[in-house]
Every structure is written in C-alpha cells, then in structure tokens.
Amino acid sequence: MVKITASYLGDLHCRLTHGPSGAVIETDAPKDNMGKGEAFSPTDLAAASLLSCILTTMAIYAKRHGKVLVGQSGEVEKEMSTEAPRRISRLTVRVSMPKDLSAEDRLAYERVGGSCPVHKSLGPGTQVLMNYIYPD
C-alpha cells in the first residue's frame, strides 16, 4: 500500500505528497475549467501517469529478461470530453523506441507497454491510441 496525502492550498491549487519518498507535486485547475494552468491538472497527471507507466513497464520487462532498454521517450496528448460529465475522452500516446530492436522485441515491448497497470485501470470511456515509432 502507498499513501499519498493532499492539501488544498486555495485558488484551485493542491499539494500532493508521496508518503514513501516525500516527493511533492502541485496541481492547478486547467485554464478551460476556472484555473490558471500554472501546474499539472489532475487529469494531466492521469495522462502523464499512463505515459510514465508505459515506459517504466517496458524497462521492467527488459530488466526481467536480462536486457537493457534505454533511449525510449514519449508524449501523450489528452483530450477532454465536450459533453457532461467532464472526463478524459482520448489519450494519444507516441512512444519513440531505441534503434536496433528485433521484430520479436518490438512486439514484446508493444504488448507490455499496452498492458501497463495504468492503461488497465482506465475505464472503457477513455479511448487510448498507441503509436510506437522506430528510428529505422
């Protein structure tokens, strides 16, 4: 179990503290929902969590199989629903992979990345579009 605490700071800002490490993240409501957009919004953190989870899960898979996976990076675009209730409707993920991966490794990393815990935790109303980009 991991405990995360939150404090409301006012003006639509929150401070989140990760219990085990003490790391702190602050959030703000987005500009299109009464905030100033001065920090990640809560839904931005959900999108960022998906991307981080994909990259981390692939690296864990590599490590478990005696391989090193270094050089992958990515980006995620978050789209909010236009109808009520306000929610994340689509996440478009692009993962840039390192060079010289075999066809077998490519398939394995894509399978693992697409089944990371955050992806599995998203509801059926959130469309996730995955794109893997290879330099060769």
Side-chain angles (χ1 to χ4, degrees), residues 12 16 25-33 35 37-48 78 80 86 88:
L12 306 180
L16 308 167
I25 297 173
E26 291 193 7
T27 64
D28 184 18
K31 288 182 178 182
D32 68 348
N33 198 24
E38 294 176 333
F40 283 100
S41 73
T43 56
D44 291 343
L45 289 179
K78 175 195 78 170
M80 298 300 290
R86 186 171 171 84
I88 300 169

Side-chain angles (χ1 to χ4, degrees), residues 45-93:
L45 289 179
S49 292
L50 174 63
L51 181 58
S52 176
C53 190
I54 291 166
L55 297 176
T56 302
T57 302
M58 289 190 304
I60 290 168
Y61 175 86
K63 190 172 185 176
R64 283 188 177 149
H65 289 86
K67 299 178 181 187
V68 176
L69 184 65
V70 177
Q72 68 274 28
S73 62
E75 63 182 38
V76 60
E77 293 177 356
K78 175 195 78 170
E79 296 175 51
M80 298 300 290
S81 63
T82 55
E83 70 283 341
R86 186 171 171 84
R87 62 179 178 76
I88 300 169
S89 60
R90 180 180 309 153
L91 296 168
T92 302
V93 180

Side-chain angles (χ1 to χ4, degrees), residues 2 17 47 59 61-62 76 85 87 99 103 121-123 127 130 133-135:
V2 173
T17 303
Y61 175 86
V76 60
R87 62 179 178 76
K99 293 192 303 185
S121 299
L122 295 171
Q127 181 182 21
M130 299 285 299
I133 301 157
Y134 297 92

